[in-house]
Amino acid sequence: MNTQDVNRRIRLVMDLRNKGITDAKILGAMERIPRDEFVPKAVKDQAWDDMALPIGRGQTISQPYVVAAMTQALQISDMDKVLEIGTGCGYQTAILAKLCRRVYTIERHEILLERAEKMFEALKLRNITAIAADGMKGWPTIHGIDQAPFDKIIVTAAAREKPPQELLDQIKVGGAMIIPVGPSGDQSLKLYKKESEEAYSVKDLMPVRFVPLLPDIAKDEEENGAAA
Ligand code: SAH
């Protein structure tokens, strides 16, 4: 790591702290996980700035502040089993992997998932299980084994009207889910807490901009924006 790289990392952490991220473990993970290695070459120079960037297949890596704020709102503990919907390039997954016991992550674009898995391997993050599937249906039963319910669920694509029922069902009682909800241009980040099998509390955290949560595995010809 050269001096410029170190300085960029420190600047980002200071920026996040100024914006209200106080959890030292989250700041430490954001300083250590090499965000520049998760993004395409063309945008590497901007990887340590607090902005969203394109990652191919029309998708984006979230702004570092949003990654940190979502993680902080979930109050992740090192005992937590976490489900993530929308692996994308795997950056948020890597941050979670540093903070919790195990991350289960689902991505509908197989090519993005393959690249993300290479990053987990390169960074020796061994507590991640990643699959290509439709995350709106929750984590599937695999070889007769259920992983649900989860202590925490994080969805990094926006539900148009309300969270998928399957995801609400997979939150452990006492657990929480964070998910952007709303149409493009009018989304709000919401924190659902499962108080009992039937009752949830909902809190609006902030306005956000996410790509939409879409059904089914992506088709090869699917193209919804910039390619990289
Ligand atoms: N957390 C990611 C953000 C990626 S953008 C990162 O840090 O890079 C959101 C991702 O959600 C996209 O990759 C998109 O393909 C994926 N997505 C959208 N709908 C999905 C669904 N139903 N199941 C799984 N992934 C989905």
Side-chain angles (χ1 to χ4, degrees):
M1 215 189 290
N2 61 33
T3 319
Q4 188 191 31
D5 194 26
V6 172
N7 287 342
R8 283 176 171 175
R9 287 177 192 229
I10 292 171
R11 203 187 54 201
L12 175 64
V13 166
M14 280 169 57
D15 194 8
L16 295 174
R17 203 179 284 142
N18 288 338
K19 289 173 177 165
I21 307 301
T22 49
D23 187 318
K25 281 193 186 151
I26 296 177
L27 293 170
M30 307 266 313
E31 188 175 342
R32 284 200 307 278
I33 295 293
R35 190 170 186 257
D36 52 313
E37 291 176 30
F38 284 83
V39 301
K41 278 198 185 69
V43 295
K44 270 198 199 310
D45 260 6
Q46 289 135 278
W48 292 99
D49 294 340
D50 190 19
M51 57 195 283
L53 296 168
I55 54 169
R57 308 304 293 177
Q59 307 303 320
T60 53
I61 178 173
S62 304
Q63 181 191 347
Y65 169 67
V66 173
V67 171
M70 288 175 86
T71 310
Q72 184 163 274
L74 278 176
Q75 299 182 304
I76 307 275
S77 97
D78 56 7
M79 293 303 290
D80 280 350
K81 173 153 96 165
V82 179
L83 172 65
E84 179 192 38
I85 309 303
T87 319
C89 69
Y91 177 72
Q92 169 85 69
T93 325
I95 298 291
L96 291 167
K98 288 278 184 206
L99 304 170
C100 73
R101 184 157 57 90
R102 185 145 209 107
V103 191
Y104 293 84
T105 186
I106 309 181
E107 170 56 51
R108 66 187 287 280
H109 279 281
E110 278 167 329
I111 177 80
L112 294 181
L113 189 80
E114 280 168 27
R115 288 184 205 153
E117 287 190 290
K118 288 203 181 103
M119 285 303 303
F120 305 151
E121 194 57 46
L123 296 177
K124 301 190 170 59
L125 297 168
R126 312 247 189 252
N127 58 340
I128 299 171
T129 309
I131 58 167
D134 175 4
M136 290 169 85
K137 299 191 181 120
W139 190 267
T141 304
I142 300 174
H143 303 311
I145 298 171
D146 283 321
Q147 295 301 341
F150 297 90
D151 299 291
K152 308 286 161 59
I153 299 182
I154 177 167
V155 186
T156 65
R160 215 183 146 78
E161 283 169 16
K162 54 179 180 9
Q165 187 59 45
E166 285 86 343
L167 292 179
L168 288 168
D169 290 346
Q170 290 198 343
I171 310 171
K172 205 177 270 182
V173 172
M177 169 162 81
I178 194 157
I179 179 169
V181 180
S184 167
D186 185 24
Q187 296 169 1
S188 163
L189 192 60
K190 289 180 190 282
L191 182 66
Y192 284 75
K193 285 198 174 153
K194 193 158 175 173
E195 315 285 359
S196 69
E197 276 306 336
E198 251 81 279
Y200 301 90
S201 71
V202 190
K203 215 166 118 184
D204 261 318
L205 299 184
M206 59 178 171
V208 281
R209 285 175 71 117
F210 275 87
V211 296
L213 196 57
L214 297 172
D216 307 323
I217 284 271
K219 296 183 189 61
D220 274 353
E221 66 274 18
E222 192 176 299
E223 197 45 87
N224 29 23

